[in-house]
Amino acid sequence: MPKRARVPMREQDPEERIKNFDEVALGYSEEEALLEADRCLQCPKPKCVEGCPVEIDIPAFISLIKERKYKEAYRKIKEKDSLPAITGRVCPQENQCEKTCVLARVGEPIAIGRLERFVADYCKENAQEVKKEPFNGKRVAVVGSGPAGLTVSADLAKLGYSVTLFEALHLPGGVLTYGIPDFRLPKDIIKREIEYVKALGVEFVPNVVVGKTILLDELLKDYKAVFIGSGAGAPVFLNVPGENLLGIYSANEFLSRINLMRAHLFPEYDTPLKVGKKVLVVGGGNVAMDSARVSRRLGAEVTILYRRSREELPARLEEIKRAEEEGVNFIFLATPLAFSGSNGWVDAVECQEMELGEPDESGRRAPIPKKGATFTLKVDTVIIAIGNRPNPIISKTTQGLEVGRYGEILVDPATGKTSKVGVFAGGDIVSGSATVIEAMGAGRRSAIAIHRYLTTGVW
Amino acid sequence: MYKIVDKKRLSNNVVQMTIEVPLIAKAIKPGQFIIIMVYEKGERIPLTVVTSDKERGLITIVFQEVGKTTKLLGKKEIGEELFAVMGPNGNPFPVRYYGNVVLVAGGVGVAEVVPIAKALKEAGNHITTIIGARTKELLFFTDVLGSISDKLYVTTDDGSYGIKGLVTLPLKELLDTSRIDMVLAVGPTIMMKAVSDLTRGYKVKTYVSLNPIMIDGTGMCGGCRVTVDGKTRFVCVDGPEFDGHLVDFDELMMRQRTYIEQERLALKLLEEKDA
Ligand SMILES: Cc1cc2nc3c(=O)[nH]c(=O)nc-3n(C[C@H](O)[C@H](O)[C@H](O)COP(=O)(O)OP(=O)(O)OC[C@H]3O[C@@H](n4cnc5c(N)ncnc54)[C@H](O)[C@@H]3O)c2cc1C
Ligand code: SF4
Ligand code: FES
């Protein structure tokens, strides 16, 4: 069994990188990738594949890297994952393939994500084949251009469908564009994937809110099937006193101002953002880490306040580590009780200390308030990153579309079929806030199901 | 896309513009609004649609050139295109028969109230309209609203036209002397607050059309949140019209000023560039 540790990935130095928005992780060189690929045992019953939500043939692509057949390796990944350059960067590998990799039991698992990213970056210019079947006479509409919508669109275009992709915002990409910052996922990578989808003939229509600009029921008159990939874009607030004071943002607002509207480049770009010297980020997921790290880059002192303990932080390990390296402070086991301010601007937050009780429905130990234990923090900016819910615009304006408790669209998980004939859904609108790879996987399953439905005519 | 087909100055700094957006022209209802971006690096700002022409796919907006974005918009000429126009957003106004309705409008609210006024008129309401402006030169659309309304009052702060004083002056008189079933105020927040404060004492149902800072207009950012009846609501999806007696206007006015310094800077830079 090889004892060699995994090959580290070069990163921008923390001192330097908090002064820019350039990508932090620099990726493997060819030599590094070959060295890392060489650690793979090529297990006959590969455990890693079991951990992958879309079952990429991981040993096969790693073996192709060993043979220096990078294009082939890229195509192998693309069989299952339509966005390798993106998932290689943002997948929580430590909970997926790298968690189940056999080597994880005896030491460090193979750096599968880094290898995936290497292959995708290596092939960025020329491995994407714009090959598709001739037009089959059928039109499909896709709502939302996040990873789910992009995947369905590309897959169906390849099969010969005419696909129209509607997006509410002025730019495509969903959370990839408005949520995840450049230093984790550079915009040119998303652009490249979108160019590919367009090259396949998908017609991209921005600035259309389905349910407002056009009703879903109207789309069904012009299109044989509709896929809804509208994400979980509605921010959850704490609902505590003082939350509407100035200087308090939802993470969605804060991150959209930066990523979508480029507020960090004000006044070259017109959208402003005001960030003070002391930022408090409430939450512990990727969204919280991103908000904290953006704030650092805007020159603030940043503290993350999380109601559980370090072990329960839901963010990717790598991002937690990088946030720490960048000087983000953490306060665990506490939650805001109230905000107070002067002249309308927030200047302090009263917090409640928590302790962990019995596991709740999520399987994690539930935070419960510690009697009488409160403290106050001085802050001038607060970012609330405690979660997002499905946006109800479509379900509220569509007849016969069944939704669950939080407004999530109810579907058959194998196909994405909703309660409404001809309508499919997938990604965060179904699962609630989840991951890029799961949204992509759901898109792929629905593409197959839509193809079957429109070929056989059987719902 | 989003081609400007007509443009007209209604006063010194108020512009009316007609844009080609067939889908919105078809879908929009009175009370709803759109979000526009003038150019790629621009802000997203909400604007009310004043009239729409389904057949020709046109919508007409009226805006006052106050900040950088509206100034840039005002510079766009017929034949040019806007970068983005999205909507309709928000809920349609609850148009029905109320009886005696008083519409109070100030600033660009004078234009914004037009589609609702028309719809309320068609629903059989008796419409009294009060338009307020600082001075005569700033008045516009008195003829448009005059022709829709059964009775029209105009007030100017300096008395240069119509009644001298604020819109609340004729409104109070109406409240004192007749039965009013509903009041709708559209315009500067301070005016909507004054109207709501006045009608509260008379227990007359009062709607206001709120205009906070927005980004997406779809309920995604929460930047447009206001407190209504002690609860946080998003104006872009829960509004834009709310019960004026329940709105926390002071909070709204505070939130509208969030970026006042940056707005001044952007405007200054634009003016320097133009000079
Ligand atoms: C800040 C942040 C960081 C994240 N980091 C990670 C990470 O590191 N790794 C990871 O795996 N996941 C991460 N996630 C989660 C991941 O981004 C999402 O799970 C994923 O993007 C969901 O994809 P989707 O296609 O379902 O929806 P989205 O990406 O949300 O896209 C939905 C799109 O639909 C559009 N839309 C909505 N309603 C309508 C309508 N009515 N009409 C037209 N268009 C509409 C929206 O504007 C949006 O563009 C992160 C999320 C956030 C917010
Ligand atoms: S489980 Fe690990 S060692 Fe085995 S094939 Fe997968 S990546 Fe290679
Ligand atoms: S403008 Fe973003 S939620 Fe209303």
Side-chain angles (χ1 to χ4, degrees):
Chain A
M1 190 146 304
K3 295 247 162 38
R4 195 153 54 78
R6 58 160 59 181
V7 178
M9 180 164 52
R10 282 162 301 126
E11 291 182 354
Q12 267 200 82
D13 182 68
E15 292 285 310
E16 274 310 304
R17 73 195 191 216
I18 58 166
K19 296 183 202 136
N20 65 52
F21 278 78
D22 299 340
E23 191 166 19
V24 166
L26 300 173
Y28 277 162
S29 67
E30 189 175 353
E31 293 69 42
E32 288 164 335
L34 286 168
L35 213 60
E36 181 64 18
D38 205 45
R39 293 174 62 226
C40 173
L41 306 178
Q42 294 291 315
C43 308
K45 274 196 193 148
K47 287 281 170 211
C48 52
V49 180
E50 289 173 22
C52 175
V54 297
E55 298 176 356
I56 296 173
D57 191 343
I58 294 163
F61 98 74
I62 295 182
S63 154
L64 287 163
I65 296 180
K66 285 189 195 174
E67 296 168 47
R68 298 175 190 249
K69 292 185 178 157
Y70 306 124
K71 262 193 205 171
E72 286 79 357
Y74 184 66
R75 293 203 184 114
K76 182 52 76 187
I77 302 172
K78 285 279 276 192
E79 284 173 11
K80 297 288 164 108
D81 176 350
S82 59
L83 308 165
I86 295 172
T87 52
R89 285 173 166 80
V90 306
C91 264
Q93 287 97 1
E94 73 270 13
N95 298 327
Q96 303 177 0
C97 54
E98 294 179 13
K99 182 180 182 181
T100 51
C101 166
V102 285
L103 289 178
R105 269 185 270 157
V106 293
E108 286 188 300
I110 299 292
I112 301 169
R114 295 174 186 176
L115 290 174
E116 178 185 17
R117 169 183 167 164
F118 164 76
V119 168
D121 287 356
Y122 191 93
C123 297
K124 66 178 164 203
E125 303 307 340
N126 47 21
Q128 303 248 39
E129 285 173 295
V130 183
K131 256 197 346 215
K132 54 174 196 168
E133 301 289 318
F135 179 43
N136 63 16
K138 291 171 194 155
R139 285 157 51 84
V140 176
V142 175
V143 184
S145 61
L150 287 174
T151 302
V152 184
S153 301
D155 285 5
L156 290 175
K158 283 186 205 158
L159 289 167
Y161 291 88
S162 157
V163 182
T164 311
L165 175 53
F166 296 98
E167 167 58 49
L169 294 171
H170 56 281
L171 294 178
V175 167
L176 306 177
T177 295
Y178 78 72
I180 304 183
D182 300 20
F183 53 81
R184 230 158 41 86
L185 182 60
K187 293 279 171 286
D188 57 334
I189 290 178
I190 306 160
K191 273 201 193 111
R192 206 189 303 139
E193 294 301 339
I194 287 160
E195 284 313 314
Y196 171 65
V197 173
K198 285 184 186 164
L200 286 168
V202 172
E203 188 200 355
F204 172 65
V205 185
N207 307 314
V208 168
V209 188
V210 171
K212 291 279 182 186
T213 318
I214 314 179
L215 296 179
L216 191 99
D217 290 298
E218 290 176 279
L219 287 180
L220 281 172
K221 291 182 205 147
D222 293 334
Y223 300 90
K224 299 235 177 248
V226 178
F227 175 84
I228 307 170
S230 54
V236 177
F237 282 92
L238 291 156
N239 283 317
V240 299
E243 205 170 14
N244 295 344
L245 283 165
L246 306 189
I248 304 182
Y249 304 93
S250 76
N252 278 4
E253 174 176 8
F254 180 80
L255 292 171
S256 314
R257 282 182 181 272
I258 297 286
N259 299 319
L260 180 70
M261 307 309 295
R262 320 303 283 169
H264 54 302
L265 303 176
F266 179 89
E268 186 201 340
Y269 283 72
D270 294 340
T271 302
L273 175 65
K274 227 166 160 172
V275 173
K277 296 201 170 62
K278 281 187 176 227
V279 174
L280 184 76
V281 178
V282 184
N286 286 319
V287 186
M289 298 303 143
D290 285 345
S291 303
R293 296 175 66 202
V294 167
S295 303
R296 280 298 283 152
R297 281 160 177 74
L298 299 174
E301 196 182 293
V302 185
T303 302
I304 286 182
L305 188 75
Y306 180 53
R307 61 191 185 135
R308 292 184 161 97
S309 69
R310 173 178 295 270
E311 288 66 53
E312 285 84 14
L313 278 175
R316 294 179 76 222
L317 271 183
E318 241 177 4
E319 310 311 333
I320 300 169
K321 190 180 122 254
R322 288 182 186 143
E324 282 176 329
E325 288 169 2
E326 289 168 11
V328 172
N329 309 308
F330 287 81
I331 297 178
F332 294 105
L333 293 164
T335 191
L337 280 180
F339 299 99
S340 52
S342 58
N343 295 325
W345 289 86
V346 65
D347 66 6
V349 46
E350 193 194 346
C351 304
Q352 165 71 57
E353 281 183 38
M354 311 291 274
E355 54 196 348
L356 292 179
E358 296 299 309
D360 62 12
E361 54 188 63
S362 76
R364 292 173 303 175
R365 292 177 62 195
I368 40 179
K370 233 188 200 171
K371 252 215 166 105
T374 63
F375 60 96
T376 302
L377 296 172
K378 289 274 164 214
V379 296
D380 49 22
T381 305
V382 177
I383 303 166
I384 316 275
I386 57 167
N388 283 299
R389 294 264 164 84
N391 191 317
I393 287 181
I394 296 179
S395 54
K396 271 192 185 165
T397 53
T398 306
Q399 299 286 322
L401 193 62
E402 275 178 35
V403 297
R405 181 148 68 121
Y406 299 112
E408 70 280 14
I409 298 180
L410 301 177
V411 302
D412 161 33
T415 59
K417 277 183 197 172
T418 66
S419 57
K420 198 173 166 80
V421 174
V423 180
F424 296 76
D428 281 5
I429 184 65
V430 167
S431 58
S433 302
T435 60
V436 171
I437 190 72
E438 281 166 293
M440 204 227 63
R444 183 140 279 184
R445 285 194 298 280
S446 276
I448 295 169
I450 290 170
H451 184 45
R452 193 180 310 127
Y453 167 58
L454 294 183
T455 311
T456 62
V458 181
W459 177 249
Chain B
M1 290 252 269
Y2 320 127
K3 193 159 149 190
I4 298 164
V5 300
D6 197 16
K7 179 185 170 185
K8 186 159 88 189
R9 235 161 235 287
L10 300 180
S11 81
N12 192 19
N13 63 356
V14 176
V15 178
Q16 170 176 314
M17 200 175 251
T18 301
I19 314 164
E20 208 174 65
V21 201
L23 287 176
I24 298 181
K26 201 170 144 212
I28 193 131
K29 298 211 173 62
Q32 290 185 304
F33 64 94
I34 56 170
I35 298 253
I36 67 138
M37 277 175 87
V38 178
Y39 71 124
E40 211 186 329
K41 296 182 177 177
E43 285 179 284
R44 296 170 65 93
I45 60 156
L47 291 172
T48 302
V49 171
V50 178
T51 56
S52 60
D53 180 338
K54 280 191 188 39
E55 277 67 49
R56 293 164 65 209
L58 305 176
I59 58 170
T60 298
I61 52 174
V62 169
F63 57 93
Q64 188 173 8
E65 297 164 309
V66 277
K68 180 177 180 188
T69 303
T70 43
K71 283 226 153 86
L72 288 175
L73 184 58
K75 284 176 199 245
K76 286 275 170 187
E77 298 301 338
I78 294 174
E80 289 188 89
E81 294 182 353
L82 300 185
F83 178 71
V85 181
M86 170 254 209
N89 302 301
N91 302 299
F93 185 81
V95 173
R96 60 177 176 83
Y97 177 75
Y98 293 87
N100 278 330
V101 170
V102 179
L103 306 176
V104 187
V108 281
V110 171
E112 293 170 0
V113 82
V114 167
I116 304 177
K118 278 187 195 156
L120 286 172
K121 181 75 201 162
E122 274 165 34
N125 292 284
H126 181 276
I127 312 260
T128 305
T129 301
I130 305 170
I131 298 179
R134 226 172 46 241
T135 185
K136 190 181 165 197
E137 275 66 53
L138 301 176
L139 282 169
F140 62 93
F141 269 23
T142 42
D143 50 340
V144 179
L145 279 171
S147 68
I148 303 167
S149 315
D150 296 286
K151 180 107 186 72
L152 178 74
Y153 296 89
V154 178
T155 68
T156 50
D157 299 5
D158 61 0
S160 53
Y161 189 91
I163 304 164
K164 180 174 185 331
L166 301 174
V167 285
T168 39
L169 199 67
L171 178 61
K172 179 160 188 339
E173 205 171 303
L174 286 167
L175 289 164
D176 283 335
T177 56
S178 52
R179 210 196 90 189
I180 311 291
D181 300 296
M182 188 267 277
V183 172
L184 164 66
V186 189
T189 309
I190 186 91
M191 182 205 89
M192 297 193 283
K193 177 179 160 129
V195 167
S196 303
D197 284 346
L198 176 62
T199 56
R200 185 177 290 115
Y202 295 85
K203 296 201 167 61
V204 173
K205 175 84 182 174
T206 300
Y207 285 103
V208 290
S209 178
L210 304 185
N211 193 0
I213 296 173
M214 294 194 183
I215 303 184
D216 56 298
T218 65
M220 182 267 266
C221 73
C224 64
R225 62 196 193 278
V226 288
T227 304
V228 181
D229 201 12
K231 290 190 204 69
T232 291
R233 310 290 298 273
F234 291 2
V235 173
C236 69
V237 286
D238 301 325
E241 283 86 18
F242 291 96
D243 182 339
H245 297 154
L246 303 177
V247 170
D248 183 340
F249 287 104
D250 294 336
E251 178 189 275
L252 173 62
M253 284 189 274
M254 197 177 76
R255 291 184 62 83
Q256 283 168 330
R257 294 171 56 84
T258 307
Y259 298 108
I260 198 105
E261 292 152 33
Q262 283 94 333
E263 283 162 14
R264 277 200 198 114
L265 174 66
L267 193 58
K268 189 172 139 246
L269 292 173
L270 178 71
E271 278 161 1
E272 280 170 13
K273 206 175 122 206
D274 285 350

